[in-house]
């Protein structure tokens, strides 16, 4: 949707806007720039939410957004309904009005195997009189169905499916989903009014995090991403909706008319695959990249099978494929039953559910002391993976489902989402099933467990409890925190047992002479680990804050905290009220953060990490100097100074110095007797090759 040329211009404009000072903006200038600024923000939304490839930092984005908000609050008459600021959550909605869909939201007929698909193809061929049919095949997204209406290029109404005829109007909730454009240039395709169908989804990894947080907070869990999405779009508070990380895919145009009210479907808009391409170009999230146009049913079957094999590696939950006749003109001939269109069918993947028996229940201690019951199962294969244990989350979950040891249960595994018990098969009970007894004492350290008022989980409150210590170290080293490869869960447990790792700072005190001799470790893996630990010292501040495992502080809150300070120690000076002034931090979270930074043991740990060389600060602002974002490589000897000194100067001006020549490099600085890097850079062609004098000029030195 954006050509390279237009992207370049937008990035240029981004830089200009980042330098702009709002105080000096008069109304005339504001009028002149405001639409450009919105275009720039929309572009960065698209890079972030549609492509997932941002080109600016969160910090810079926030700055642009704030600039727009400031201008709009100074000149409110310049606000337009499709301004990016209008996504900001509106007031609480008490009831969602009922609205009639322009065309009914039907279901799809289902198929489960090759024979069903061939039957479908035969019916289509009979009704159309064609020998071979062109189909468009795309994933069947497993989320909550929505219907969107755009009129005169503006998003005017969004609704749930409801009973198919009438749905609930949820426009305000959908406006906070950044992958739904608030405006789109349908007019450039002569479309005046259009109804689009789609699905609100939660990415599998985000879903996992939401549930983990809900466990921490003792809230009931979502059974799967679909339920989470469906529950989220009907929340009364759009602010809460905004926190759920929702995305929307659109996959069908069901109504499109021009200025005169003439229908365009099957006329100007001829093919489904082209409609999807159009929606993609207009900035929507669509199945464009994964949609395949198949000539005949054999290709369809092949593509469905391919996707059944790779469904787990797709970031979104899908429960099948949808096969649609590609030629929209044929829709009329094929028509509908009362339940589904005859021009489309769903191919459902095999259900990933199985029944098995609960052999035993054990209790695990989490990093915050929460006790989680885990059922050990008679191992059973579900969708190619053997499942032998499943979390029962908390006592409420067990009581609600009436789960007992010895029960036969239905277990579901949805993608990389953790398996869970859907229900107990009560008919299979023999009378020998035993109720699950909760322990009174911590299974790791023996301290008495407590169940705080209003929470669903029991906790061990001994912060030196060995199980908690191990879990805290595991969390610290995990991928989203300090990302120390080589310190896996098993390795942490092993090192703890051996007495090598008793606390988080111990990670940076490991004695590699000892590690080399541990069974299963050798020189090589010890060296790799050493390097991974070294690298982790330079992680951004928010990762350290997240890694500390403060209760309720997930990645988002960690980022909020990191951007509110220069260095971690500054957090000691925040009162609970100060913390609550930060975005999305309520009193419960603020209290936990405050307590964490007023606990001697924690402060000692932070001090030790600092002493051991772990980064505890944000990069200095002034580094955003004139070389910001530029990569340099040096070759040959410099007259002015040592390589180290030159590197220091480049970095102090915000640039980076790399060791090797690649496409990422912007400048190659050539000193005396250059090496092979020069030739390599010449070959790449996009690298600017400069001599020492030019370099010195650039950094303002002679
Ligand atoms: S087309 C008239 N395409 O599945 C048919 N539906 O079980 C319009 N769904 O109601 C639907 N992914 O909510 C279509 N790529 C896709 C889909 C899809 C998911 C949902 C949709 C539909 C339900 C039927």
């Amino acid at each position: 949707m954006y050509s390279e040329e237009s992207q370049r211009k937008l990035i240029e404009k981004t830089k200009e806007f980042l330098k702009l000072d709002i105080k000096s903006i008069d109304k005339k200038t504001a009028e002149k720039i405001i639409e450009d600024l919105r275009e720039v923000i929309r572009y960065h939304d698209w890079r972030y939410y549609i492509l997932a490839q941002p080109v600016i930092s969160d910090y810079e984005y926030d700055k642009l957004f704030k600039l727009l908000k400031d201008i709009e609050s100074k000149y409110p008459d310049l606000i337009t309904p499709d301004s990016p600021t209008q996504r900001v959550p509106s007031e609480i909605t008490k009831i969602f009005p009922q609205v009639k869909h322009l065309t009914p939201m039907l279901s799809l007929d289902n198929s489960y195997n090759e024979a069903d698909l061939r039957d479908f193809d035969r019916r289509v061929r009979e009704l159309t009189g064609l020998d071979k049919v062109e189909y468009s095949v795309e994933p069947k997204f497993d989320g909550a169905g929505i219907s969107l209406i755009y009129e005169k290029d503006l998003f005017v109404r969004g609704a749930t499916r409801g009973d198919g005829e009438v749905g609930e109007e949820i426009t305000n909730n959908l406006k906070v989903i950044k992958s739904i454009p608030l405006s789109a240039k349908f007019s450039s395709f002569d479309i005046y009014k259009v109804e689009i169908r789609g699905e609100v989804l939660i990415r599998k990894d985000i879903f996992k995090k939401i549930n983990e947080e809900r466990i921490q907070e003792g809230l009931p869990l979502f059974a799967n991403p679909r339920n989470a999405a469906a529950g989220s779009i009907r929340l009364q508070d759009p602010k809460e909706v905004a926190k759920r990380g929702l995305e929307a895919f659109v996959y069908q145009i069901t109504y499109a008319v021009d200025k005169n009210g003439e229908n365009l479907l099957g006329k100007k808009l001829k093919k489904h695959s082209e409609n999807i391409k159009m929606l993609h170009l207009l900035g929507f999230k669509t199945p464009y990249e994964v949609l395949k146009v198949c000539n005949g049913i054999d290709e369809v079957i092949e593509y469905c099978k391919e996707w059944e094999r790779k469904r787990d590696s797709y970031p979104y939950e899908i429960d099948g494929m949808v096969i649609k006749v590609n030629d929209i003109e044929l829709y009329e001939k094929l028509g509908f039953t009362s339940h589904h269109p005859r021009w489309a069918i769903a191919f459902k993947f095999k259900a990933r559910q199985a029944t098995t028996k609960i052999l035993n229940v054990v209790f695990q201690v989490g990093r915050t002391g929460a006790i989680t019951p885990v059922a050990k199962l008679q191992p059973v294969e579900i969708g190619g993976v053997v499942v032998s244990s499943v979390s029962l989350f908390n006592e409420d979950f067990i009581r609600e489902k009436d789960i007992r040891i010895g029960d036969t249960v239905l277990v579901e595994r949805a993608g990389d989402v953790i398996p869970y018990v859907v229900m107990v098969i009560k008919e299979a009970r023999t009378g020998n099933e035993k109720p699950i007894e909760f322990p009174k004492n911590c299974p790791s350290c023996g301290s008495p467990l407590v169940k705080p008022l209003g929470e669903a989980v029991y906790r061990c409150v001994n912060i030196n409890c060995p199980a908690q210590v191990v879990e805290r170290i595991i969390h610290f080293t995990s991928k989203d925190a300090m990302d120390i490869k080589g310190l896996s869960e098993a390795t942490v447990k092993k090192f703890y047992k051996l007495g090598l790792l008793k606390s988080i700072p111990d990670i940076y005190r490991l004695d590699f002479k000892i590690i080399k001799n541990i069974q299963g470790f050798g020189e090589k893996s010890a060296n790799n680990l050493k390097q991974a630990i070294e690298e982790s010292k330079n992680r951004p501040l928010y990762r350290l804050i997240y890694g500390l495992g403060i209760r309720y502080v997930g990645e988002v809150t960690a980022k909020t905290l990191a951007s509110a300070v220069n260095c971690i120690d500054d957090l000691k000076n925040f009162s609970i009220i100060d913390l609550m002034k930060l975005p999305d931090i309520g009193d419960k979270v603020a209290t936990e953060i405050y307590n964490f930074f007023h606990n001697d043991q924690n402060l000692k740990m932070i001090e030790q990490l600092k002493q051991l060389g772990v980064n505890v600060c944000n990069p200095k602002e002034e580094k955003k100097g004139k070389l910001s974002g530029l990569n340099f490589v040096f070759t040959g000897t410099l007259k002015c100074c040592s390589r180290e000194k030159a590197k220091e100067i480049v970095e102090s001006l915000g640039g980076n110095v790399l060791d090797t020549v690649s496409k990422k490099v912007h400048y190659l600085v050539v000193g005396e007797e250059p090496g092979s890097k020069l030739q390599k850079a010449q070959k790449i062609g996009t690298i600017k090759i400069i001599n020492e004098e030019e370099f010195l000029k650039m950094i303002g030195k002679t």
Side-chain angles (χ1 to χ4, degrees):
M1 94 166 247
Y2 293 95
S3 65
E4 263 181 37
E5 174 65 14
S6 66
Q7 295 204 39
R8 216 178 36 75
K9 279 192 186 141
L10 285 159
I11 292 173
E12 261 327 294
K13 279 189 188 156
T14 304
K15 286 187 195 152
E16 283 165 27
F17 283 129
L18 285 172
K19 283 189 225 138
L20 208 67
D21 180 13
I22 155 87
K23 282 183 221 94
S24 58
I25 290 184
D26 57 34
K27 180 140 191 204
K28 254 210 166 120
T29 325
E31 274 171 355
K32 224 166 83 195
I33 63 163
I34 199 161
E35 213 23 65
D36 273 2
L37 177 56
R38 287 184 187 129
E39 261 322 302
V40 163
I41 294 176
R42 285 188 197 114
Y43 165 67
H44 291 298
D45 278 341
W46 178 77
R47 296 270 343 175
Y48 191 96
Y49 293 102
I50 307 289
L51 295 193
Q53 289 167 340
V55 283
I56 54 173
S57 66
D58 291 0
Y59 174 81
E60 287 164 320
Y61 179 88
D62 292 346
K63 229 169 141 178
L64 291 174
F65 200 87
K66 188 168 177 299
L67 179 66
L68 177 61
K69 252 172 102 173
D70 287 349
I71 299 177
E72 286 183 350
S73 68
K74 207 166 165 190
Y75 306 112
D77 54 319
L78 295 184
I79 298 176
T80 57
D82 65 336
S83 171
T85 57
Q86 301 307 299
R87 287 193 194 276
V88 174
S90 59
E91 290 308 301
I92 293 201
T93 321
K94 283 270 155 40
I95 40 159
F96 298 111
Q98 304 268 313
V99 286
K100 194 167 184 306
H101 299 301
L102 297 183
T103 59
M105 263 176 108
L106 296 179
S107 284
L108 288 168
D109 196 11
N110 286 328
S111 66
Y112 300 93
N113 50 45
E114 209 179 306
D116 292 348
L117 284 174
R118 293 197 185 278
D119 272 349
F120 165 71
D121 177 54
R122 191 180 35 75
R123 289 194 300 272
V124 172
R125 283 187 288 110
E126 275 170 13
L127 286 167
T128 57
L130 292 170
D131 287 342
K132 210 169 191 184
V133 182
E134 186 176 90
Y135 294 106
S136 172
V137 186
E138 67 202 38
K140 183 171 185 311
F141 300 103
D142 197 10
I146 50 163
S147 184
L148 311 173
I149 297 178
Y150 285 77
E151 203 171 323
K152 287 197 242 170
D153 291 347
L154 273 189
F155 173 47
V156 291
R157 195 183 90 181
T160 61
R161 180 174 192 279
D163 65 5
E165 290 288 334
V166 175
E168 285 173 311
E169 204 241 71
I170 51 163
T171 316
N172 282 341
N173 279 358
L174 294 182
K175 274 188 181 171
V176 303
I177 302 177
K178 303 259 176 105
S179 44
I180 299 179
L182 295 182
S183 62
K185 277 250 167 274
F186 282 104
S187 53
S188 60
F189 294 90
D190 289 333
I191 299 172
Y192 177 80
K193 184 172 181 180
V194 57
E195 183 188 50
I196 311 166
R197 294 284 147 76
E199 204 88 358
V200 170
L201 302 172
I202 296 184
R203 234 174 48 203
K204 286 188 280 200
D205 56 342
I206 294 185
F207 169 76
K208 220 161 134 184
K209 277 193 192 152
I210 291 181
N211 257 1
E212 275 162 16
E213 273 171 33
R214 289 177 80 88
I215 295 177
Q216 287 292 322
E217 294 180 33
L219 292 169
L221 298 175
F222 291 118
N224 48 46
R226 171 173 20 95
N227 288 8
S232 302
I233 56 171
R234 294 188 68 263
L235 285 172
Q236 291 189 331
D237 186 353
K239 272 201 203 75
E240 285 302 311
V241 183
K243 284 188 210 160
R244 294 276 172 93
L246 302 173
E247 296 178 40
F249 272 87
V250 294
Y251 46 63
Q252 191 77 32
I253 296 185
T254 46
Y255 174 95
V257 294
D258 66 12
K259 269 209 301 283
N260 308 318
E262 286 292 321
N263 170 37
L264 299 170
L265 282 174
K267 312 267 180 331
K268 252 190 167 165
L269 305 177
K270 280 195 175 352
K271 293 205 171 187
H272 172 71
S273 54
E274 280 160 16
N275 282 355
I276 295 296
K277 184 175 177 189
M278 172 178 78
L279 292 170
H280 167 75
L281 291 173
L282 287 170
F284 287 86
K285 215 174 173 84
T286 68
Y288 176 67
E289 286 94 353
V290 289
L291 177 149
K292 181 170 174 168
V293 175
C294 296
N295 191 14
I297 200 71
D298 287 339
E299 276 182 31
V300 170
I301 292 166
E302 197 49 47
Y303 198 53
C304 287
K305 282 188 185 159
E306 180 186 327
W307 268 86
E308 181 147 29
R309 283 193 298 272
K310 67 182 187 195
R311 67 186 287 199
D312 276 352
S313 57
Y314 196 57
Y316 304 90
E317 190 57 24
I318 54 177
D319 58 344
M321 301 298 281
V322 183
I323 298 100
K324 300 172 182 174
V325 170
N326 203 24
D327 186 346
I328 299 172
E329 223 182 324
L330 296 174
Y331 283 15
E332 233 172 87
K333 248 191 202 159
L334 289 159
F336 297 85
T337 72
S338 61
H339 168 263
H340 61 259
R342 288 202 194 84
W343 41 262
I345 195 164
F347 173 77
K348 299 280 283 225
F349 296 149
K350 275 173 211 75
R352 285 185 297 198
Q353 290 188 335
T355 54
T356 186
K357 215 167 160 167
I358 295 188
L359 303 175
N360 191 15
V361 173
V362 297
F363 293 86
Q364 284 177 355
V365 190
R367 73 185 148 87
T368 59
I371 307 292
T372 309
V374 176
K376 295 290 167 192
L377 305 172
Q378 192 141 43
V380 62
E381 196 200 293
I382 313 178
V385 173
V386 177
V387 177
S388 56
S389 70
V390 53
S391 172
L392 300 179
F393 307 120
N394 55 48
E395 198 174 18
D396 291 353
F397 184 86
I398 294 171
R399 301 288 163 253
E400 194 186 298
K401 304 220 167 194
D402 186 19
I403 302 169
R404 302 178 195 177
I405 296 170
D407 262 338
T408 302
V409 287
L410 180 66
V411 179
E412 179 171 319
R413 190 182 69 84
D416 2 333
V417 174
I418 48 172
Y420 75 101
V421 172
V422 181
M423 62 177 200
V424 173
I425 314 283
K426 299 248 167 80
E427 294 74 15
R429 279 193 175 153
T430 60
N432 293 330
E433 294 75 18
K434 284 197 219 80
I436 298 165
E437 299 273 354
F438 260 72
K440 301 263 176 308
N441 295 80
C442 172
S444 172
C445 70
S447 319
L449 298 179
V450 295
K451 188 170 174 179
L453 212 64
E455 286 191 19
V457 290
Y458 283 92
R459 281 179 191 281
C460 165
V461 289
N462 168 19
I463 70 163
N464 296 316
C465 164
Q468 286 184 52
V469 174
V470 169
E471 291 302 322
R472 282 200 291 268
I473 300 174
I474 290 172
H475 174 74
F476 185 84
T477 64
S478 66
K479 195 161 161 278
D480 294 335
M482 300 296 266
D483 190 19
I484 306 181
K485 292 196 186 67
L487 262 188
S488 65
E489 244 182 272
T491 311
V492 171
K493 283 183 182 161
K494 195 167 174 178
F495 286 6
Y496 183 86
K497 258 199 197 136
L498 292 169
L500 298 171
L501 258 186
K502 290 197 229 64
S503 67
I504 289 174
D506 278 353
I507 296 172
Y508 299 97
R509 300 187 190 109
L510 283 174
D511 185 344
F512 287 90
K513 280 196 228 79
I514 299 177
I515 290 177
K516 270 178 212 163
N517 297 319
I518 295 175
Q519 215 194 354
F521 263 86
E523 183 98 21
K524 194 164 167 219
S525 47
N527 280 340
N528 288 345
L529 178 59
K530 191 173 175 184
Q531 198 186 338
I533 291 174
E534 252 340 279
E535 281 169 11
S536 77
K537 289 182 179 170
N538 300 321
R539 299 273 180 261
L541 177 58
Y542 82 87
R543 280 173 170 260
L544 172 67
I545 296 178
Y546 173 65
L548 293 175
I550 308 165
R551 208 172 154 200
Y552 304 136
V553 176
E555 249 182 295
V556 176
T557 311
K559 280 186 182 163
T560 306
L561 292 174
S563 59
V565 295
N566 290 326
C567 293
I568 198 162
D569 282 343
D570 303 342
L571 286 169
K572 283 192 268 186
N573 305 325
F574 277 62
S575 67
I576 295 183
I577 303 286
D578 293 336
L579 289 162
M580 284 171 65
K581 284 185 191 149
L582 299 174
D584 293 330
I585 295 185
D587 60 338
K588 204 167 70 175
V589 185
T591 308
E592 288 292 338
I593 300 168
Y594 179 86
N595 289 345
F596 186 94
F597 287 98
H598 287 81
N599 170 303
D600 285 343
Q601 219 171 319
N602 293 335
L603 296 181
K604 224 161 94 188
M605 168 171 71
I606 292 170
E607 190 51 40
Q608 288 175 10
L609 287 172
K610 203 157 66 178
Q611 298 296 334
L612 290 160
V614 175
N615 168 48
V616 295
C617 294
N618 282 315
K620 292 223 168 58
E621 257 302 305
E622 54 268 26
K623 278 201 178 168
K624 285 197 180 298
K626 55 181 177 187
L627 303 187
S628 175
L630 296 177
N631 297 328
F632 287 77
V633 167
F634 292 97
T635 181
T637 321
L638 299 177
K639 279 183 276 175
C640 68
C641 45
S642 68
R643 280 260 179 103
E644 280 66 44
K645 183 74 200 164
K647 182 172 178 201
E648 213 175 86
I649 298 173
V650 170
E651 284 174 350
S652 74
L653 294 169
N656 299 307
V657 176
L658 308 179
D659 290 327
T660 51
V661 171
S662 72
K663 278 189 192 150
K664 278 195 291 192
V665 174
H666 300 98
Y667 289 94
L668 178 75
V669 184
V670 183
E672 275 174 12
E673 291 178 49
S676 61
K677 287 177 190 166
L678 178 56
Q679 275 169 1
K680 204 167 163 198
Q682 282 163 337
K683 214 166 173 187
I684 291 178
T686 53
I687 302 174
K688 287 207 186 86
I689 298 170
I690 55 173
N691 60 27
E692 186 171 344
E693 268 159 48
E694 289 166 307
F695 170 68
L696 290 174
K697 216 165 169 191
M698 227 172 145
I699 60 174
K701 300 228 158 43
T702 42

